[in-house]
């Protein structure tokens, strides 16, 4: 993720979010799903197969994914050509050696790609990992999906793979996927657990994961941490998609629901408006800053106001909703079902003392996005039972917006994360300076209020970019 200069209504210049562009040479079976997952993750895919344009395209993109899935001689010629260009141009490159344990043909080419250097991410399953380590194919082939193997053994293989290929591929990160994913880099070895078994019922989730990994890899300060968050995003998204399928009974819709869940979790900034004192202040204080934030990549925009007339609420919420629609953000009304219905908002957010999610659902319908605040594990579980779409958790830090809010300790946050797979957004006094890995590891994003609106307009996009680095 990077930021670039752009024009916006009446402002001179400000910084704008630029989506990473990824060149995929992936297998034909899952090409469409891979492209859609890249977009859902916040990237922009291109699927060029013409060698004659590789140099022109790779020079313009922010990363390259090589998937050997539907392999033949011509395809490997293309993969090696793209690899050399990416290496020469120092482009991040992900290698997925699909099925390399099945044939010497696949294994030899996969080893050559790794031994030639320039690979940033090696992502494989345990069977493929063993083949790459031993440099020999398996006597039994179980398919291209992950198999159940002793987790400690897989952890050893992950570290051994990294140790074997790191001298040839500077700063390579090795990922072995399965029931537990392992990630190894110069920053250490970590594991990510969870996920739904329904992923085994469809083809292509491993290929789609490549999109998520490369999109999250680009432009991050801590790439190891960002890839851990990507693996976690995929697993938790698969759990939410499975819960939805269970309730609806449509297994054929699982893949699309999985992509939708990833898209939701990839929008890590939830902006809550700060109330302006009068109509004259609303445009320069709220409207202008909100638009800059939306242009910088906001997923949710919530209108929160307590001390305005009905007419003012209608006018302000409609103007903000227009901006949200313009930039593709979900527009939420805080705690006011009547206002949400009046303007046709996407949904509402309910506090602990407000009406229940079930009551709001009856008023707004099944398609409404209804979020809930959770300060305890019991409140989080109850919100899940009632059908909340996401949870706001906190307060993480003291804030001027709600100075009397009780702080949530890390153990409570961790407990909610471990027991609830809904998207979690931290709230309460969050700034780029106080949001650490200890918090972001349990969150899908954060809600911002006073810290953003009190910032100078020209600094807003920089602040948002700094926060996104944590996800």
């Amino acid at each position: 993720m990077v930021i670039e200069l752009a024009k916006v209504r009446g402002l001179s210049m400000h910084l704008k979010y630029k989506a990473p562009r990824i060149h995929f040479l992936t297998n034909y079976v899952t090409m469409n799903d891979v492209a859609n997952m890249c977009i859902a993750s916040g990237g922009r895919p291109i699927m060029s197969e013409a060698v004659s344009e590789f140099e022109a395209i790779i020079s313009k993109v922010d990363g390259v994914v090589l998937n050997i899935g539907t392999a033949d001689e011509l395809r490997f010629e293309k993969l090696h050509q793209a690899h050399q260009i990416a290496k020469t141009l120092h482009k991040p490159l992900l290698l997925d050696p699909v099925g390399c344990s099945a044939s010497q043909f696949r294994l030899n080419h996969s080893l050559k790609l790794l031994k030639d250097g320039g690979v940033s991410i090696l992502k494989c399953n345990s069977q493929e990992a063993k083949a790459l380590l031993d440099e020999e194919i398996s006597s039994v082939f179980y398919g291209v999906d992950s198999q159940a193997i002793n987790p400690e053994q897989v952890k050893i293989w992950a570290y051994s793979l990294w140790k074997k290929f790191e001298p040839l591929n500077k700063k390579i990160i090795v990922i072995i996927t399965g029931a537990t994913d392992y990630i190894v880099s110069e920053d250490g070895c970590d594991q990510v657990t969870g996920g739904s078994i329904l992923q085994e019922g469809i083809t292509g989730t491993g290929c789609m994961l490549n999109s998520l990994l490369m999109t999250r890899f680009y432009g991050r300060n801590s790439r190891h941490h960002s890839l851990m968050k990507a693996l976690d995003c995929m697993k938790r998204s698969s759990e939410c998609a499975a819960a939805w399928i269970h309730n609806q009974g449509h297994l054929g819709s699982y893949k699309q629901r999985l992509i939708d869940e990833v898209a939701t979790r990839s929008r890590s900034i939830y902006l809550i408006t700060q109330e302006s004192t009068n109509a004259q202040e609303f445009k320069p204080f709220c409207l202008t800053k909100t638009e800059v934030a939306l242009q910088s990549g906001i997923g949710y925009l919530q209108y929160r106001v307590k001390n305005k007339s009905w007419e003012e609420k209608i006018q302000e919420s409609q103007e903000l909703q227009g901006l949200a629609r313009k930039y593709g953000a979900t527009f939420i009304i805080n705690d006011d079902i009547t206002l949400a219905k009046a303007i046709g908002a996407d949904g509402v957010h309910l506090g602990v003392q407000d009406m229940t999610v079930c009551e709001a659902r009856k008023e707004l319908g099944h398609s409404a996005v209804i979020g809930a605040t959770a300060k305890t594990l019991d409140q989080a579980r109850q919100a899940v039972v009632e059908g909340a779409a996401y949870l706001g958790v906190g307060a993480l830090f003291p804030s001027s917006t709600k100075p009397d809010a009780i702080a949530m300790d890390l153990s409570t946050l961790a407990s909610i994360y471990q027991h609830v797979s809904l998207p979690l957004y931290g709230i309460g006094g969050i700034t780029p300076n106080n949001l650490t890995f200890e918090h972001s590891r349990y969150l899908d994003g954060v809600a911002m209020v006073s810290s953003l609106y009190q910032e100078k307009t020209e600094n807003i996009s920089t602040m948002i970019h700094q926060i996104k680095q944590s996800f």
Side-chain angles (χ1 to χ4, degrees):
M1 172 192 317
V2 297
I3 39 182
E4 61 181 7
L5 293 175
K7 278 277 187 185
V8 67
R9 298 168 137 186
L11 297 175
S12 51
M13 299 293 284
H14 78 96
L15 294 168
K16 180 184 177 184
Y17 168 71
K18 181 171 86 67
R21 300 151 298 183
I22 313 297
H23 180 198
F24 292 90
L25 279 106
T26 191
N27 75 68
Y28 306 129
V29 177
T30 62
M31 187 178 291
N32 187 64
D33 299 324
V34 167
N36 284 330
M37 183 61 87
C38 180
I39 295 169
S41 306
R44 293 293 179 266
I46 183 168
M47 312 310 233
S48 170
E49 296 277 339
V51 174
S52 59
E53 66 176 7
F54 278 1
E55 188 165 1
I57 287 176
I58 293 174
S59 67
K60 298 179 179 70
V61 299
D62 305 301
V64 178
V65 173
L66 304 181
N67 178 314
I68 74 169
T70 45
D72 58 31
E73 287 79 0
L74 179 59
R75 182 159 193 78
F76 272 117
E77 288 181 19
K78 293 180 178 182
L79 291 171
H80 287 297
Q81 184 73 16
H83 172 227
Q84 288 303 316
I85 294 171
K87 178 183 173 183
T88 300
L89 296 174
H90 304 290
K91 298 291 183 177
L93 188 147
L94 183 152
L95 173 63
D96 187 351
V98 179
C100 69
S101 63
S103 74
Q104 202 64 48
F105 171 67
R106 287 173 181 256
L107 181 59
N108 289 345
H109 281 288
S110 298
L111 287 168
K112 176 172 172 49
L113 288 165
L114 283 164
K115 291 178 179 181
D116 282 349
V119 176
S120 308
I121 306 168
L122 169 61
K123 194 223 76 179
C124 57
N125 63 33
S126 55
Q127 200 176 9
E128 294 155 357
K130 189 174 188 305
L132 292 170
L133 277 173
D134 298 342
E135 300 197 9
E136 62 180 40
I137 62 174
S138 172
S139 59
V140 180
F141 179 57
Y142 298 99
V144 297
D145 299 313
S146 300
Q147 299 299 310
I149 294 177
N150 184 314
E152 283 304 311
Q153 182 62 69
V154 178
K155 182 177 179 180
I156 292 170
W157 288 344
Y159 178 75
S160 299
L161 266 181
W162 176 79
K163 191 173 182 181
K164 177 175 181 175
F165 292 113
E166 198 278 336
L168 302 170
N169 301 271
K170 187 178 180 182
K171 295 186 179 297
I172 190 173
I173 299 175
V174 172
I175 296 170
I176 300 182
T177 58
T180 297
D181 297 338
Y182 289 91
I183 175 170
V184 180
S185 73
E186 64 182 9
D187 294 325
C189 177
D190 288 289
Q191 64 185 56
V192 181
T193 58
S196 169
I197 196 171
L198 288 188
Q199 290 185 87
E200 298 178 9
I202 60 174
T203 188
T205 55
C207 302
M208 289 189 283
L209 177 59
N210 294 339
S211 292
L212 181 54
L213 290 169
M214 184 52 83
T215 304
R216 294 284 184 94
F217 182 82
Y218 172 66
R220 295 306 206 274
N221 293 333
S222 174
R223 289 175 165 177
H224 181 104
H225 171 63
S226 295
L227 294 185
M228 273 186 66
K229 292 292 293 181
L231 293 169
D232 183 63
C233 174
M234 189 69 166
K235 287 189 177 293
R236 291 171 67 81
S237 294
S238 75
E239 292 170 355
C240 273
W244 184 86
I245 291 298
H246 175 73
N247 293 331
Q248 301 293 322
H250 304 309
L251 181 59
S253 304
Y254 180 69
K255 184 183 293 185
Q256 185 56 56
R257 188 69 186 186
L258 176 61
I259 294 173
D260 290 343
E261 291 289 343
V262 169
T264 297
R265 294 174 193 273
S266 296
R267 303 185 299 172
S268 56
I269 306 296
Y270 187 124
L271 180 60
I272 302 174
T273 61
Q274 188 167 22
E275 189 166 352
S276 53
T277 56
N278 54 58
Q280 289 70 37
E281 188 185 63
F282 174 70
K283 184 172 182 179
F285 178 75
C286 183
L287 212 59
T288 299
K289 291 188 175 185
T290 299
E291 182 160 18
V292 174
L294 285 164
Q295 289 213 2
S296 305
I298 295 297
Y300 285 90
L301 174 61
Q302 181 191 126
Y303 178 60
R304 183 166 73 185
V305 64
K306 301 294 182 183
N307 303 306
K308 294 286 180 74
S309 68
W310 175 254
E311 290 74 17
E312 287 176 309
K313 289 179 181 180
I314 288 288
Q315 181 178 344
E316 291 183 357
S317 61
Q318 286 180 331
E319 287 192 68
L320 288 165
Q321 182 169 245
L323 288 179
R325 296 281 189 270
K326 179 178 178 180
Y327 295 105
T330 301
F331 188 64
I332 301 293
I333 298 294
N334 180 65
D335 170 24
D336 192 333
I337 299 291
T338 304
L339 180 59
K341 290 177 71 173
I343 69 165
D346 296 313
V348 294
H349 182 85
L350 304 172
V352 175
Q353 304 300 324
D354 300 328
M355 70 166 60
T356 67
V357 173
C358 287
E359 291 169 337
R361 182 71 64 197
K362 290 177 183 177
E363 291 285 333
L364 296 177
H366 73 278
S367 62
V369 178
I370 302 177
T373 296
K375 299 180 181 295
T376 66
L377 177 57
D378 287 343
Q379 290 173 356
R381 282 174 161 164
Q382 184 60 33
V384 172
V385 170
E386 293 186 4
Y390 68 84
L391 297 179
V393 291
L396 299 186
F397 307 101
S399 74
S400 59
T401 306
K402 292 191 175 182
D404 57 341
I406 299 173
M408 175 181 284
D409 56 54
L410 271 175
S411 62
T412 301
L413 179 60
S415 183
I416 293 173
Y417 164 85
Q418 289 160 6
H419 293 90
V420 173
S421 57
L422 288 180
L424 303 178
Y425 294 90
I427 189 168
I430 295 165
T431 71
N433 296 326
N434 63 21
L435 183 64
T436 67
F437 172 69
E438 292 304 313
H439 289 96
S440 64
R441 66 184 298 181
Y442 302 124
L443 300 169
D444 294 284
V446 294
M448 302 182 71
V449 195
S450 56
S451 63
L452 187 140
Y453 285 103
Q454 290 170 8
E455 187 60 73
K456 293 180 179 179
T457 302
E458 60 267 26
N459 297 335
I460 287 175
S461 285
T462 300
M463 171 182 278
I464 290 172
H465 172 69
Q466 289 172 337
I467 291 286
K468 285 183 175 180
Q469 287 286 320
S470 298
F471 300 97

